[in-house]
């Protein structure tokens, strides 16, 4: 690594640390609704199964985007779930892994960025994050889950046409913990 690359890495690291500190203050200053509290507990339970993968909150992702930290969200959910909604700017796992997209999303392309897989509540994304680390990606974070996004991001979910929507697929009833403003879907059900 040359001097310019070292300087850029230190600059990025300090931006990242400042954003993480700001988000931690925001998280600690808010009193959570009962729904949000239950979702947070579930998310922490699943994310804790992957201690080698740092979680990243919706608030942190939004803050990182504001200060132009390079990141790529990867939706690891099933196609039926993604058809309901995805986090704006995310790509599917299939698109992320396409060999023709190596120049966009490969380990070398993302060496100065953060790869953020997400699912419903943090388990499937934790499994995938672990695989990405084994493949050589430098900075991989567990996106906590689209459920947390409904509580902490105030929108930002889009449908296949890119339109903002207030609906989310929660996979199954144990994870139907979205913010009450969202219409929730499960496999074979709408709630």
């Amino acid at each position: 690594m040359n001097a310019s690359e070292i300087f850029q890495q230190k600059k990025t690291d300090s931006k990242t640390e400042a954003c993480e500190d700001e988000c931690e203050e925001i998280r600690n200053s808010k009193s959570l609704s009962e729904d949000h509290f239950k979702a947070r507990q579930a998310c922490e339970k699943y994310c804790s199964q992957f201690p080698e993968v740092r979680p990243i909150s919706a608030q942190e992702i939004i803050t990182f985007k504001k200060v132009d930290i390079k990141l790529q969200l990867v939706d690891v959910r099933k196609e039926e779930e993604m058809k309901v909604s995805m986090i704006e700017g995310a790509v599917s796992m299939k698109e992320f892994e396409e060999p023709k997209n190596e120049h966009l999303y490969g380990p070398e392309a993302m060496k100065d960025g953060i790869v953020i897989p997400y699912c419903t509540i943090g388990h499937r994304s934790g499994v995938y994050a672990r695989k990405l680390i084994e493949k050589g990606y430098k900075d991989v974070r567990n996106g906590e889950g689209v459920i947390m996004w409904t509580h902490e991001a105030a929108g930002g979910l889009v449908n296949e046409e890119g339109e903002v929507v207030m609906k989310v697929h929660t996979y199954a009833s144990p994870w139907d913990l979205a913010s009450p403003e969202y219409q929730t879907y499960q496999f074979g059900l709408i709630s």
Side-chain angles (χ1 to χ4, degrees), residues 120-136:
T120 303
I121 201 79
H123 180 75
R124 291 177 286 173
S125 53
V127 170
Y128 189 63
R130 189 181 276 162
K131 289 178 184 174
L132 291 176
I133 291 168
E134 290 169 3
K135 286 183 178 181

Side-chain angles (χ1 to χ4, degrees), residues 119-159:
C119 59
T120 303
I121 201 79
H123 180 75
R124 291 177 286 173
S125 53
V127 170
Y128 189 63
R130 189 181 276 162
K131 289 178 184 174
L132 291 176
I133 291 168
E134 290 169 3
K135 286 183 178 181
Y137 287 86
K138 286 180 163 184
D139 195 351
V140 181
R141 316 271 179 103
N142 191 342
E144 289 191 334
V146 73
I147 297 303
M148 293 310 300
W149 198 268
T150 69
H151 290 283
E152 297 179 355
L157 297 182
V158 296
N159 64 15

Side-chain angles (χ1 to χ4, degrees), residues 21-142:
D21 291 345
E22 179 183 327
C23 291
E24 188 63 30
E25 286 177 32
I26 291 168
R27 205 171 17 254
N28 290 335
S29 69
K30 288 184 176 180
S31 60
L32 305 180
S33 68
E34 185 177 342
D35 290 335
H36 190 173
F37 181 74
K38 287 178 183 175
R40 169 65 45 214
Q41 281 186 312
C43 177
E44 288 174 359
K45 172 188 169 187
Y46 289 104
C47 288
S48 71
Q49 295 173 2
F50 307 95
E52 71 280 18
V53 183
R54 287 175 42 198
I56 185 169
S57 71
Q59 294 166 341
E60 288 171 304
I61 293 167
I62 291 166
T63 304
F64 284 12
K65 284 182 174 183
K66 285 180 185 174
V67 295
D68 293 325
I69 291 177
K70 181 179 179 179
L71 57 85
Q72 183 57 59
L73 291 155
V74 181
D75 195 325
V76 303
R77 299 174 302 150
K78 295 179 179 185
E79 189 173 332
E80 185 178 334
E81 295 169 274
M82 290 186 289
K83 282 185 177 183
V84 174
S85 63
M86 291 176 69
I87 297 173
E88 189 173 17
V91 297
S92 69
M93 184 170 58
K94 180 179 177 183
E95 182 178 346
F96 185 80
E97 292 179 346
E98 279 285 333
K100 70 179 182 179
N101 291 330
E102 178 79 12
H103 68 287
L104 296 172
Y105 310 127
E108 186 60 29
M110 292 302 298
K111 71 179 181 198
D112 296 323
I114 304 168
V115 179
I116 306 168
Y118 73 90
C119 59
T120 303
I121 201 79
H123 180 75
R124 291 177 286 173
S125 53
V127 170
Y128 189 63
R130 189 181 276 162
K131 289 178 184 174
L132 291 176
I133 291 168
E134 290 169 3
K135 286 183 178 181
Y137 287 86
K138 286 180 163 184
D139 195 351
V140 181
R141 316 271 179 103
N142 191 342

